[in-house]
Amino acid sequence: MTIETPRAAATIEEVAAAAGVSRSTVSRVVNGSTAVSPAALEAVQRAIAELSYVPNRAARSLASRATMAIALVVPEDTTRFFGDPFFAAVVSGINARLSRSDYVLNLIIASDDPRDKTAAYVRSGAVDGAIVVSHHTSDTFIDRIATSVPVVYGGRPVRARENDYYVDVDNTAGAYDATKYLIDKGFRRIAHISGPVSMPAGIDRLAGFRSALADAGMVPVAVEDGNFTADGGSAAMARILESAASFDALFIASDLMARGALAVLGRAGIRVPTDVAIIGFDDSPVATAVQPNLTTVRQPSHQQGQQMAEVLLRLLAGGTPEHVTVLDTELVVRASA
């Protein structure tokens, strides 16, 4: 009887020789880098398949002291995180990009961290880098994270520093376009339900709203903070109604808040869009789940997640990505305005 000797596992050097490229090119392909030509990528992938090469992640991590893990830090409570479709879209985008690399994603929901557990965990060397989404002015622990690992922010940081990296959507332009659309449709008494002014997205959308009105020689009839939640939108809408402000249109800074506002208007017998026009922001699944379907500002949340992951991977690979990436928004017209 003949006993076959198992073939030794292929090495990265063998893959490089078979593909006709350098060892570093194979390493870049294995780690999901985009800094590889299409021809080299195809050659390396073919050699990996032919040789059944399996990257030795443990050995690489030990040699480089890398954990091959990235933290997604979300300074919100669990109800907010799991209830807002924005986060699902962003996480989906991040995961789509990381799936082409060796990195795994660790989710940290940290709305209240008096013992500084989040910063301590990240600074302990448990992860190689962090993506921070939905941060507030009160989230000071983020500053301590940023001193220990590379960080990419989802949205403009609350306290911007010269060397920060962030991927944002053009919240100001999106809000401006939504408000101008209402003005161009002939509405003259426009109210706003804003996000919290402790968050850059809330600040920027409010600024875009005010700017569009100012350019038309108008002022808002009411502005109330809805905290980017459905319950907050309901409460803000109730306050506007209680104030007896006369309004014929509303720009609401998130679809979730618009859903809450629609419920309050319906109970008050105010018809949308017959009596009041409404525009939301996000173009989340909420926009087409409510009646009437929302005219809203589409923000590319999935793309934002992908781009944040891309920037962080390039940083971890020693690259020099752009510090600031701003993605365009788009007004989607439906039945509510």
Side-chain angles (χ1 to χ4, degrees), residues 80 192-197 223-237 239-240 252-254 256-258:
R80 174 77 173 274
H192 179 48
I193 297 178
S194 74
V197 293
V223 175
E224 291 287 345
D225 181 352
N227 197 35
F228 281 146
T229 67
D231 288 345
S234 296
M237 190 71 259
R239 290 194 299 272
I240 292 174
I252 304 178
S254 81
L256 272 179
M257 294 192 298

Side-chain angles (χ1 to χ4, degrees), residues 21 25 29 33-46:
V21 300
T25 297
V29 171
S33 172
T34 57
V36 180
S37 71
L41 176 62
E42 182 180 354
V44 171
Q45 289 175 334
R46 184 169 58 248

Side-chain angles (χ1 to χ4, degrees), residues 26-35 97 100-102 310 313:
V26 177
S27 179
R28 285 196 292 272
V29 171
V30 167
N31 285 299
S33 172
T34 57
R97 179 60 188 92
R100 294 185 281 115
S101 76
D102 275 353
E310 176 65 32
L313 289 175

Side-chain angles (χ1 to χ4, degrees), residues 98 117 167 180 194 239 333:
L98 293 186
K117 291 187 296 182
V167 179
K180 187 175 185 302
S194 74
R239 290 194 299 272
V333 177

Side-chain angles (χ1 to χ4, degrees), residues 10 49 53 61 73 106 115 161-162 202 204 216 219 228 233 244 257 260 288 293 300 319 324 332:
Y53 172 68
S61 298
V73 181
N106 293 348
R115 292 189 293 155
R161 291 168 291 255
E162 183 179 356
D204 291 349
V219 295
F228 281 146
M257 294 192 298
T288 52
N293 287 180
V324 177
V332 179

Side-chain angles (χ1 to χ4, degrees), residues 73-298:
V73 181
V74 184
E76 299 287 358
D77 59 36
T78 53
T79 300
R80 174 77 173 274
F81 178 79
F82 289 107
D84 191 334
F86 165 77
F87 294 111
V90 168
V91 173
S92 175
I94 294 171
N95 186 64
R97 179 60 188 92
L98 293 186
S99 67
R100 294 185 281 115
S101 76
D102 275 353
Y103 285 92
V104 296
L105 188 65
N106 293 348
L107 173 62
I108 303 174
I109 301 175
S111 61
D112 184 16
D113 194 7
R115 292 189 293 155
D116 215 22
K117 291 187 296 182
T118 301
Y121 172 76
V122 173
R123 297 177 72 181
S124 72
V127 297
D128 297 331
I131 295 171
V132 179
V133 178
S134 192
H135 39 295
H136 306 250
T137 53
S138 58
D139 299 324
T140 56
F141 70 90
I142 299 301
D143 296 334
R144 293 187 288 281
I145 289 175
T147 63
S148 57
V149 297
V151 171
V152 176
Y153 297 91
R156 176 171 55 83
V158 174
R159 288 176 292 277
R161 291 168 291 255
E162 183 179 356
N163 293 320
D164 283 339
Y165 293 86
Y166 67 88
V167 179
D168 203 356
V169 300
D170 199 336
N171 290 295
T172 304
Y176 185 100
D177 291 345
T179 308
K180 187 175 185 302
Y181 174 85
L182 292 172
I183 295 168
D184 290 346
K185 294 274 285 186
F187 297 102
R188 292 295 178 267
R189 303 186 312 279
I190 306 174
H192 179 48
I193 297 178
S194 74
V197 293
S198 63
M199 300 180 69
I203 295 168
D204 291 349
R205 292 174 196 179
L206 176 58
F209 166 74
R210 291 188 183 279
S211 180
L213 288 181
D215 286 351
M218 299 164 57
V219 295
V221 298
V223 175
E224 291 287 345
D225 181 352
N227 197 35
F228 281 146
T229 67
D231 288 345
S234 296
M237 190 71 259
R239 290 194 299 272
I240 292 174
L241 292 179
E242 290 167 3
S243 73
S246 176
F247 61 96
D248 55 10
L250 282 158
F251 167 54
I252 304 178
S254 81
D255 292 346
L256 272 179
M257 294 192 298
R259 183 174 71 185
L262 278 168
V264 172
L265 290 172
R267 290 194 294 269
I270 299 173
R271 298 165 299 171
V272 177
T274 305
D275 302 322
V276 174
I278 288 182
I279 295 182
F281 201 111
D282 288 333
D283 196 28
S284 69
V286 171
T288 52
V290 297
Q291 291 298 325
N293 287 180
L294 277 176
T295 294
T296 186
V297 178
R298 176 179 295 156

